[in-house]
Amino acid sequence: MTEKTEKTETETEKTAITPATHTAPPAKFSHGVKKGNILQVAGQVGFLPAVEGQAPTVAGPTLREQTLQTFANVKAVLEAGGASWDDVMMTRVYLTDVDHFAEMNEIYNAYFEEQGLTAPASARTTVYVGLPQGLLIEIDALAVLG
């Protein structure tokens, strides 16, 4: 005999997540989307926190500056959705230059060492892509809450 359970509307409702630090996306997508206990963070880049009336500003020209700001932007979406890095199951890193892989790994490892995670590190994929001029890295994350 199987038990049938009904989901409440809040468990199945899809909710857009936009932290106060973020501007509206440049196309029809959300910075994060939460449905039930799943939170998908859209690809984030190294833009500094939004300033009303100003165009997005890149954190700096270096991979380090952009990676750390990108992590801050992903974390802002996670927190706005009720999650933390401990809830992240999968992280995807998009680099524009294969020569940045080793440096990105150093920054990545140091960042997560500082976060004091209590859960195992997430799975990760790194791929090489084209991004708008001046951007060196993009990161997205999939979190499962609870």
Side-chain angles (χ1 to χ4, degrees):
M1 181 172 178
T2 60
E3 186 176 317
K4 190 174 186 180
T5 59
E6 291 186 30
K7 292 183 178 181
T8 66
E9 192 170 319
T10 57
E11 289 176 329
T12 59
E13 185 177 307
K14 187 165 78 169
T15 306
I17 307 295
T18 303
T21 54
H22 289 51
T23 60
K28 190 162 179 61
F29 66 88
S30 301
H31 287 292
V33 176
K34 185 175 179 181
K35 186 171 182 178
N37 68 337
I38 305 290
L39 172 61
Q40 175 65 57
V41 178
Q44 302 293 304
V45 295
F47 287 143
L48 294 170
V51 176
E52 192 172 329
Q54 291 184 9
T57 304
V58 178
T62 69
L63 182 65
R64 175 170 294 285
E65 290 167 312
Q66 289 190 30
T67 301
L68 293 176
Q69 185 60 53
T70 300
F71 279 137
N73 294 342
V74 172
K75 186 175 182 179
V77 178
L78 288 169
E79 290 176 348
S84 72
W85 285 116
D86 277 325
D87 298 307
V88 174
M89 301 295 292
M90 180 66 181
T91 306
R92 286 171 289 270
V93 177
Y94 307 91
L95 293 172
T96 59
D97 187 337
V98 69
D99 292 335
H100 288 160
F101 186 74
E103 180 183 1
M104 186 277 301
N105 271 339
E106 289 175 16
I107 298 164
Y108 189 98
N109 290 341
Y111 176 83
F112 283 108
E113 193 67 35
E114 292 170 8
Q115 296 306 300
L117 300 180
T118 58
S122 71
R124 187 186 99 190
T125 297
T126 303
V127 297
Y128 302 97
V129 298
L131 292 173
Q133 187 172 359
L135 294 174
L136 304 174
I137 188 167
E138 182 173 351
I139 299 173
D140 72 33
L142 176 66
V144 178
L145 291 78

